[in-house]
Every structure is written in C-alpha cells, then in structure tokens.
Amino acid sequence: MSEVLTFGESMIVFAPSQSGLLRYINNYEAKFAGAESNTAIGLCKLGHTARWFSRIGNDELGQYILYKIRAEGVDVDNVIIDNEHPTGIMIKELSGSGQTRVYYYRSGSAASYLSPTDLPPELFENVKILHVTGITPILSDSCHSLTTSAIKTARQKGIKVSFDPNIRKKLWNNSDHSEMIRGLIHNSNIVTLGLEEAEILYGNKNFEHLNEILFRSPHLEYLAIKNGAEGAFVSDGKTQYSIAPYPCNCIDSIGAGDAFNAAFLAGILENRPVGECGKMAAIAGALSTETTGDTESLPTRQQLNSILEPEQSIYR
Ligand SMILES: Nc1ncnc2c1ncn2[C@@H]1O[C@H](COP(=O)(O)OP(=O)(O)OP(=O)(O)O)[C@@H](O)[C@H]1O
Ligand SMILES: O=C(O)C(=O)C[C@H](O)[C@H](O)CO
C-alpha cells in the first residue's frame, strides 16, 4: 500500500562522460530516467511510500530500470513486462555550463502502449495522492486515455490529483497540446509547473497573475511555479511565498523539477504549511542538480532535516 501512485515512461539514459557534442563522446555511463519514477524515488528517499506503474520491454535495459527503481524502495510490483515492444532510450548531451540537451529513442516503446485497462482499480486503495505528468498523455492515444481515466478514478475516490505539465517540446513534435494540458491542470488539486511552461500555457510569467488564473479552478489546493536557479513561488490560494533558491553546484538541471515535486508532495503528506513545502522542495530541487543522474543526489530524509534544522545534526 502506497501513499502516492504514479505512472509513466522510464527510460535507460546514456550520460556522456564529458561535455561536448556527442560526435566526440566515446564513453557513456548508463543511468535511468523518467519524470514520474524520479518523483516516486524522491518520495521514498524522504521516508514516504510510492508505487510506480508502467510497461517496460522484455529486455535487459528494462530489467536495469526495474532493479534501480525497486532498489530505492518504490513499489514496482505491478509494472507490466511487454514482450512485443522495447524499453525506451534517452541520450544526454552536456554543454558544460549546466545546460543539457536530450535525444529520445522512445517512439513505439513499451510504455507508449500503456492503456486504461492496464491500471487495476485496486492500485488506488489507500492512495492519498495520484501524481500525473503531461508527458504520458502525449506518448500515444492509449496513454492519453490512461491519464484521463486515472484522474477520473482518483477524483471518484477522493484522492488528490497532482499534476506537472512537464512540457517536452520534442515530444509535442510541432503540435500544440496546450488546451489538453490546461484541461488536466483544471482537474488537479496540486499543480507544479515551470515558469516557462506557465508562459506557454497561459501567455503570462507574472506570479500574482498566474496565481489568480490558476486558483479559478474549483479543485486547486496547492500551486508551485518553479523557476530554476531563481527559486520558486508557492501558494495555497490564501498565502503566497517566494522561495529563494538553495545554493548548489549545478552540473545537470534535468530532473530538478521532479525532485522539487517529490519534496513538495512529501510536505503536503506531512500536512505542512505551503511555505514549508516550498522550502523543502527548493532544497531537493537544488541538490538534485549536483549529479548527472536524475536521482542520485535526491536528498534523504536525514539530509533534508539537517538542512531544515541544522542545530539538530550531530556528525560525530
Ligand atoms: N541551479 C539551481 N540552483 C538552485 N536551485 C535550483 C537550480 N535549478 C533548479 N533549482 C530548484 O529546483 C526547482 C525546479 O527546477 P526547474 O525550475 O529547473 O524545474 P523544471 O523546469 O520543472 O525541471 P525538469 O522538468 O527538467 O525536471 C527550482 O524551482 C529551484 O527551486
Ligand atoms: O523527458 C522525459 O520524458 C523523462 O521523463 C526523462 C527525464 O527524467 C525527465 O525529463 C526529467 O524530468
């Protein structure tokens, strides 16, 4: 039984050993990534329980992903092994100044065949938050149906719906999915989005204005607008906070948003005020940038607590 249920595609990642154009890269390190499994891992590292659900190929790369996610304490028991389609692949290219490009080899992957019948209703039992991203509904029509049906089930069962648009323009492929994403936001209780995503979706980058627009939704309880190295803005509709960035040595910012989401959701599960949730989230987001993988530097509960309450940390 898990407090948080999430689903989506995770891929094997090849991270170059050095920065520069891929044509000059000879060595890669295998890692794994997926916005939803990153968030599930972040929650488990903070002492919460999370289940990640997906399809992976019946291949060694899929097994690698499963081993890694399971090792972090995420419940992967219901992941489907797909005999017909492969596990997706992502390759990173590092600029050397903290900017990372990604290349996807995921079209027709096992996860793109996820569909509503894959997700059994029992998986919603005792769940407090369903976390969904805007990546999944873009992958295929069946993934879109899965997303809407999961949100519908969560609503019927009184489970809070958490949504991050996670706009990946490479997956949008010159189509405009803004209206669909705005619809999902409108159906969510917790919305976490990047400031640039907010501009794409609402044509606006002003926190106050976005707060006002988004809280017109009847369901919204918590809002976080993420702004990379500048920090974030959080609101519960009554009180708004500007959250300062936590100092870090940023190597690769990909996955910072998922780290932020994990700690933000952890704060909500712990019934903390939104300002505290935002502070926890900003620390997790900053720390996650300190490695090229998405999850290695996600904070443990002990690390996070020692930053939040430094006087209580005893090192020897
Ligand atoms: N360089 C940085 N320095 C300090 N904090 C950072 C830095 N980068 C990210 N963060 C923290 O992490 C949060 C999330 O980062 P960001 O805004 O890049 O998320 P995102 O755009 O959703 O990322 P992604 O979708 O790639 O995971 C920020 O709001 C901030 O609090
Ligand atoms: O880009 C995607 O679809 C991913 O899920 C891979 C990464 O882990 C993700 O971009 C980080 O949020």
Side-chain angles (χ1 to χ4, degrees):
M1 261 177 267
S2 299
E3 296 167 285
V4 176
L5 171 64
T6 187
F7 58 86
E9 178 160 31
S10 292
M11 294 161 286
I12 189 92
V13 176
F14 293 109
S17 55
Q18 61 191 82
S19 55
L21 295 175
L22 293 186
R23 68 183 78 177
Y24 301 116
I25 302 296
N26 296 319
N27 298 311
Y28 293 85
E29 196 178 348
K31 309 225 176 225
F32 68 98
E36 302 84 0
S37 56
N38 289 347
T39 301
I41 290 171
L43 278 154
C44 289
K45 286 181 87 164
L46 292 176
H48 289 279
T49 51
R51 183 195 294 275
W52 170 73
F53 172 76
S54 191
R55 275 179 180 265
I56 53 165
N58 188 4
D59 46 42
E60 284 303 309
L61 300 184
Q63 285 303 316
Y64 177 94
I65 291 172
L66 212 51
Y67 276 36
K68 293 286 183 182
I69 299 175
R70 185 190 286 121
E72 296 286 9
V74 176
D75 187 335
V76 295
D77 286 356
N78 289 81
V79 171
I80 297 172
I81 310 286
D82 184 319
N83 287 316
E84 286 163 45
H85 308 101
T87 302
I89 297 176
M90 178 173 130
I91 301 179
K92 287 188 175 182
E93 187 175 64
L94 308 174
S95 73
S97 58
Q99 294 299 312
T100 308
R101 272 173 176 268
V102 305
Y103 301 96
Y104 294 127
Y105 298 85
R106 64 195 294 186
S107 167
S109 67
S112 70
Y113 285 87
L114 279 164
S115 75
T117 48
D118 287 341
L119 193 57
E122 316 76 93
L123 295 198
F124 289 84
E125 266 166 39
N126 298 312
V127 167
K128 299 200 172 94
I129 297 175
L130 170 75
H131 178 66
V132 181
T133 79
I135 298 173
T136 314
I138 306 287
L139 297 179
S140 64
D141 288 345
S142 64
C143 282
H144 180 240
S145 305
L146 169 66
T147 306
T148 50
S149 89
I151 291 177
K152 195 171 160 207
T153 308
R155 294 235 75 86
Q156 283 163 350
K157 292 182 180 286
I159 296 168
K160 282 190 201 306
V161 176
S162 158
F163 181 74
D164 183 335
N166 275 126
I167 295 176
R168 303 285 177 263
K169 277 284 168 111
K170 281 193 177 171
L171 294 179
W172 282 27
N173 212 6
N174 295 326
S175 303
D176 186 2
H177 297 282
S178 309
E179 198 177 330
M180 183 269 286
I181 298 288
R182 281 192 297 268
L184 296 174
I185 288 177
H186 193 73
N187 256 308
S188 302
N189 306 85
I190 304 164
V191 171
T192 53
L193 78 171
L195 189 58
E196 283 174 18
E197 292 175 329
E199 192 178 22
I200 292 170
L201 295 167
Y202 299 100
N204 201 293
K205 275 185 111 167
N206 178 279
F207 289 139
E208 304 289 326
H209 194 62
L210 288 165
N211 187 53
E212 203 252 302
I213 297 174
L214 282 149
F215 271 100
R216 282 181 206 155
S217 150
H219 308 293
L220 194 63
E221 296 171 60
Y222 300 91
L223 171 67
I225 302 179
K226 302 172 267 185
N227 193 16
E230 304 293 312
F233 168 89
V234 298
S235 169
D236 60 7
K238 297 177 207 84
T239 323
Q240 302 152 33
Y241 296 90
S242 175
I243 308 289
Y246 182 73
C248 62
N249 176 24
C250 175
I251 291 174
D252 173 9
S253 65
I254 291 193
D258 309 329
F260 183 102
N261 293 349
F264 194 65
L265 295 182
I268 293 171
L269 288 168
E270 291 156 24
N271 293 317
R272 294 181 188 243
V274 71
E276 253 180 64
C277 299
K279 201 171 163 192
M280 288 166 63
I283 295 168
L287 294 180
S288 77
T289 69
E290 295 189 332
T291 52
T292 53
D294 289 358
T295 53
E296 294 97 312
S297 55
L298 289 174
T300 61
R301 169 57 66 177
Q302 200 186 7
Q303 274 175 305
L304 184 68
N305 285 355
S306 70
I307 293 170
L308 289 170
E309 300 146 14
E311 66 286 353
Q312 288 177 21
S313 313
I314 299 165
Y315 293 101
R316 306 179 44 125

